[in-house]
Amino acid sequence: MTAITFSPDVSGTVTDGVLVVTLDNPPVNAASQTVRAGIMAALAHLNGNSTLKAMVITGAGKSFVGGADIREFGKPPVDPILPDVVSAIEASEKPVIAALNGVALGGGLEIALACHQRIAAPAAKLGLPEVKLGLVPGAGGTQRLPRLTGVAAAIEMIGSGRAVSAAEALRLGVIDRIAGGVLVEEAIALAGEQARRPTRRTGTLPVRAGAEADLEAAAKKVLGKARGQTAPAEAIRLVKLAAHATLDTGLAEERRTFLELKDGEQARALRHVFFAERASAKVDGLEGVQPRKLETIGIVGMGLMGSGIAVSALDAGFRVIAVEQSAEAAEKGRTRIEDMLRKNLVSGRIDQTGFDARISRLKTAGDKAALQPADLVIEAVFDDYDVKATLFRELEGIVRDDAILATNTSYLDPDRLAAETRNPARVIGLHFFSPANIMRLMEVVKGAKTAPDVLATGLQLAKRLGKLPIVCGVTEGFIGNRIFSAYRKEAEFLLEDGASPAEIDSAMEGFGMAMGPFAVFDLAGLEIAWARRKRQAATRDPAERYSVIADRLCEAGRFGQKAGRGWYAYVDGKRQEDPAVTEMIAAARREKGIVPKDFTSGEITRRLVSAMADEGRKLMAEGIASRASDIDLVLINGYGFPAHRGGPMFMAGIE
Ligand code: 3HC
């Protein structure tokens, strides 16, 4: 069978009068200009050739089409633009069938929606994730999807950007069939059938508006998570428009909105985040380094952190051996882990088989000797140097020589801990964020002596756990907590200078942070930072600006929410401004002779974000972070920094 070349990455073959067009633009078959041009050429060939009755479009490799080419977004569009390609597919006289071999995302799904039939491999994933890039679908997604699924389901899918499985897509009406055997063969058969029937064009179908209540519930859910992002609300507006406007009006309004958002600040920031994530996976010095085999993860300590790590590892299919200091404590830990898993069973996140499989892979014990088979042991015990050092020395006598020892410390020095062991090359820091089974960030701390394959294994573990690993060097607090300390300090200086905790919190929440800094301090408790400040007191430069307010709070027993009072008072669990704190702040100002001034929200956010970026610059100069974008990812994924702002380094223009 001779292949017809339509463009450098689009080719076709003919079977039973059906033109099978394959898109081959690695790594993800993005709909780049040459792909678009190739599809147009294939359509012209189909409709200009009387021996052909239909066309199948499929993708080579793992993807159907991973979306529009995001690298083209910063540049002016080049013809043929995707909406024209999509319209040409829909308008084709002869039927076009989408054979979805893998992911069909964004523009990829939009191509499929314009086809006259859709058949998917069981493992295909379909979605319109544009909102995650600060966009709305720009090639008909907001107008065609609701014509297949109804308005409420389309609002949910487009507004959340969630990808659905082939099975769910079939249920929702997004696709017509799931292949039971060889996808392309079944697509060819379907094309043959379709050629004998009137062509069904998605754009001509009526929109099932559905019940107003369902629609509003879906919209409310999406908006509840949008936190200052523009795109989700725009997506909802466009999907609703589909219900009462003509296709042409809807498409024109969608395109106008897409182009406006594409050039906006939020989309620029979210594109930065997208590429930052891909860049973070590329770590210098690891080219060609093979990670060690990982099957069994050992965990020491089954508190909240250890249990969260256990659940995360069980979810990822690992065997887990979790130990505590006594059989009784181990039993308690086991109950905690089982309860966490059961919660996921009840909520439907896992099914009974999945639950049982996880439990069968979990072993708990009150004796560290049980850790012997572990390939990697993570300690998640109390953050005290002597406790951890003793533990690492003990572990050396238990685990195999090639097993990795990982510390989950937040502030201690992994190099010092490694030096306590005979083989520091196998020691690494794996800093999880709580709750560890939910939070996506993991700082992978490379010690001075950590072996490259140990680092590669840490990264692989993170990836298998579905986490976003960011490699960082050794410094007190690593990337995240160092920046957070700088943020804390600046927030306290702002208090001295005239702002109130509530003003600062409300400014940062308005900016898009999940919570304002003082609400976070109260939630986390003030005592750990206080202990650190006391430790640092002896070596602190007396000329350095220092705010005593937090110390005074702690001296007064105001340790935060758990204590019922901290930066705020908590009455019946409700946060309230507290005149006692206002007076402490006023006193601190008087002592320093500071005349308080008023701050706008913009001034507050600028000062706090600049403080983070300044600390980020230091981390880069010290070689702790290798890229500015890594720092942004840490703040976004571990500290509630709004992704649609791109991170403090992005905002400061630091590359
Ligand atoms: N455009 C350009 N490059 C892309 C891309 C895209 N849409 N999607 C992925 N890539 C690149 C990545 O940057 C990465 O490049 P690198 O190797 O140079 O770092 C490479 O492809 C591999 O990506 P991943 O590491 O993410 O590969 P995975 O196999 O883990 O995941 C994927 C594949 C599920 C397709 C994932 O890459 C993904 O989710 N991509 C983004 C999908 C998306 O958002 N599409 C919508 C685009 S907007 C759009 O379509 C607008 C339209 O409505 C007009």
Side-chain angles (χ1 to χ4, degrees):
M1 203 182 330
T2 45
I4 314 161
T5 302
F6 295 115
S7 82
D9 30 36
V10 179
S11 61
T13 54
V14 178
T15 305
D16 300 337
V18 176
L19 176 64
V20 179
V21 173
T22 304
L23 315 178
D24 189 5
N25 180 25
V28 301
N29 287 339
S32 316
Q33 193 275 337
T34 44
V35 170
R36 302 193 302 267
I39 297 175
M40 287 303 241
L43 282 171
H45 185 76
L46 168 73
N47 287 301
N49 193 320
S50 60
T51 62
L52 295 174
K53 57 183 179 199
M55 171 166 137
V56 167
I57 307 183
T58 193
K62 281 195 308 187
S63 310
F64 172 68
V65 172
D69 189 337
I70 300 171
R71 288 163 310 183
E72 290 179 359
F73 282 1
K75 308 170 194 157
V78 183
D79 281 340
I81 57 170
L82 195 58
D84 291 347
V85 176
V86 163
S87 296
I89 294 173
E90 189 166 79
S92 168
E93 276 171 36
K94 295 181 190 172
V96 183
I97 314 298
L100 307 174
N101 54 303
V103 289
L105 297 176
L109 182 55
E110 290 174 301
I111 290 174
L113 293 176
C115 289
H116 307 112
Q117 291 274 320
R118 284 156 293 282
I119 176 166
K125 288 248 183 264
L126 294 79
L128 292 169
E130 284 85 347
V131 291
K132 295 186 182 169
L133 292 166
L135 300 170
V136 291
T142 64
Q143 304 303 299
R144 290 196 178 85
L145 189 68
R147 287 180 153 81
L148 295 172
T149 64
V151 175
I155 287 179
E156 195 277 326
M157 251 183 92
I158 302 176
S160 69
R162 180 173 76 92
V164 299
S165 65
E168 188 174 355
L170 184 67
R171 225 172 25 249
L172 290 172
V174 185
I175 58 172
D176 304 290
R177 270 188 214 184
I178 295 179
V182 180
L183 173 71
V184 172
E185 283 175 13
E186 293 186 25
I188 292 170
L190 192 59
E193 287 168 32
Q194 183 63 47
R196 292 189 292 276
R197 286 202 300 253
T199 306
R200 186 185 65 154
R201 295 190 166 80
T202 312
T204 62
L205 300 174
V207 179
R208 281 177 284 118
E212 188 69 18
D214 292 348
L215 196 149
E216 288 314 323
K220 198 169 159 211
K221 201 167 148 205
V222 167
L223 293 175
K225 291 188 182 158
R227 277 196 13 229
Q229 292 186 55
T230 316
E234 289 292 79
I236 294 171
R237 181 178 66 79
L238 291 164
V239 174
K240 284 184 178 172
L241 181 68
H244 53 80
T246 62
L247 179 70
D248 285 348
T249 307
L251 289 178
E253 182 56 15
E254 179 196 77
R255 187 68 186 163
R256 190 194 63 71
T257 312
F258 171 82
L259 291 174
E260 192 179 295
L261 291 174
K262 179 171 82 79
D263 296 330
E265 198 52 35
Q266 295 196 356
R268 233 169 48 78
L270 288 162
R271 279 203 290 281
H272 159 75
V273 174
F274 177 84
F275 287 114
E277 286 192 10
R278 271 78 198 164
S280 73
K282 299 185 177 89
V283 178
D284 281 348
L286 291 190
E287 299 83 12
V289 175
Q290 278 303 315
R292 296 185 187 179
K293 175 188 75 83
L294 281 186
E295 273 171 19
T296 304
I297 306 294
I299 297 168
V300 186
M302 283 189 263
L304 204 61
M305 181 57 90
S307 302
I309 298 173
V311 170
S312 178
L314 290 167
D315 282 345
F318 288 106
R319 293 188 173 284
V320 170
I321 305 170
V323 303
E324 261 294 348
Q325 278 171 338
S326 66
E328 202 192 346
E331 208 36 55
K332 258 201 191 141
R334 183 172 192 98
T335 307
R336 178 177 290 129
I337 295 169
E338 287 183 357
D339 285 349
M340 288 163 84
L341 290 171
R342 197 161 295 114
K343 216 167 119 195
N344 291 343
L345 175 66
V346 171
S347 74
R349 277 195 56 215
I350 58 176
D351 60 14
Q352 188 65 47
T353 320
F355 177 83
D356 295 343
R358 284 165 177 78
I359 298 287
S360 73
R361 282 187 269 106
L362 171 67
K363 182 175 170 184
T364 50
D367 181 356
K368 293 181 200 76
L371 293 167
Q372 195 281 327
D375 302 311
L376 178 147
V377 179
I378 305 168
E379 68 73 17
V381 298
F382 184 62
D383 213 13
D384 174 89
Y385 185 77
D386 293 330
V387 173
K388 296 202 188 226
T390 312
L391 173 65
F392 267 30
R393 281 192 300 264
E394 262 183 276
L395 287 176
E396 282 200 299
I398 296 169
V399 297
R400 289 191 319 272
D401 284 347
D402 63 346
I404 295 172
L405 301 181
T407 171
N408 179 46
T409 184
S410 305
Y411 283 103
L412 300 173
D413 180 348
D415 280 340
R416 240 183 100 199
L417 277 175
E420 302 269 356
T421 68
R422 286 191 304 274
N423 179 10
R426 65 155 145 174
V427 175
I428 189 168
L430 296 179
H431 185 213
F432 289 80
F433 287 70
S434 196
N437 54 320
I438 294 178
M439 294 289 284
R440 194 166 164 243
L441 178 65
M442 181 162 144
E443 286 176 320
V444 176
V445 186
K446 176 175 179 268
K449 302 218 164 126
T450 304
D453 67 335
V454 170
L455 180 62
T457 314
L459 289 168
Q460 195 206 42
L461 171 67
K463 222 168 168 190
R464 282 174 65 185
L465 297 180
K467 311 247 172 253
L468 177 68
I470 300 294
V471 175
C472 71
V474 173
T475 181
E476 182 165 334
F478 312 124
I479 295 177
N481 281 336
R482 259 210 35 197
I483 298 213
F484 197 70
S485 295
Y487 176 60
R488 175 191 288 268
K489 257 195 207 165
E490 192 63 23
E492 291 173 8
F493 294 162
L494 266 167
L495 286 186
E496 283 187 343
D497 292 344
S500 73
E503 278 166 356
I504 297 173
D505 280 357
S506 125
M508 292 316 284
E509 282 161 23
F511 171 79
M513 295 290 280
M515 277 173 99
F518 292 99
V520 172
F521 304 152
D522 271 0
L523 189 69
L526 306 187
E527 57 274 45
I528 294 178
W530 187 35
R532 278 188 48 237
R533 285 196 301 276
K534 285 196 278 194
R535 269 205 311 275
Q536 293 164 343
T539 53
R540 188 176 300 121
D541 176 359
E544 191 186 302
R545 183 172 178 184
Y546 185 81
S547 169
V548 293
I549 307 170
D551 294 345
R552 302 249 167 101
L553 251 61
C554 291
E555 283 155 16
R558 306 188 66 109
F559 291 121
Q561 201 162 331
K562 272 182 302 203
R565 19 186 241 145
W567 288 103
Y568 293 94
Y570 293 84
V571 181
D572 299 329
K574 269 209 171 136
R575 198 156 68 213
Q576 289 181 358
E577 283 191 77
D578 189 334
V581 175
T582 311
E583 178 42 38
M584 281 180 182
I585 297 169
R589 289 175 189 150
R590 282 195 299 272
E591 285 162 27
K592 285 194 177 174
I594 296 173
V595 181
K597 64 173 274 236
D598 290 335
F599 288 95
T600 63
S601 298
E603 284 166 337
I604 291 172
T605 53
R606 266 194 300 282
R607 260 183 70 171
L608 289 175
V609 173
S610 302
M612 290 190 235
D614 287 345
E615 193 65 17
R617 261 193 211 101
K618 288 185 201 150
L619 286 165
M620 286 177 68
E622 292 165 29
I624 303 298
S626 44
R627 293 180 200 92
S629 59
D630 282 357
I631 298 175
D632 287 336
L633 293 178
V634 168
L635 270 296
I636 290 168
N637 293 283
Y639 297 82
F641 198 99
H644 64 273
R645 303 267 186 190
M649 307 303 276
F650 175 79
M651 288 186 72
I654 307 167
E655 296 270 325

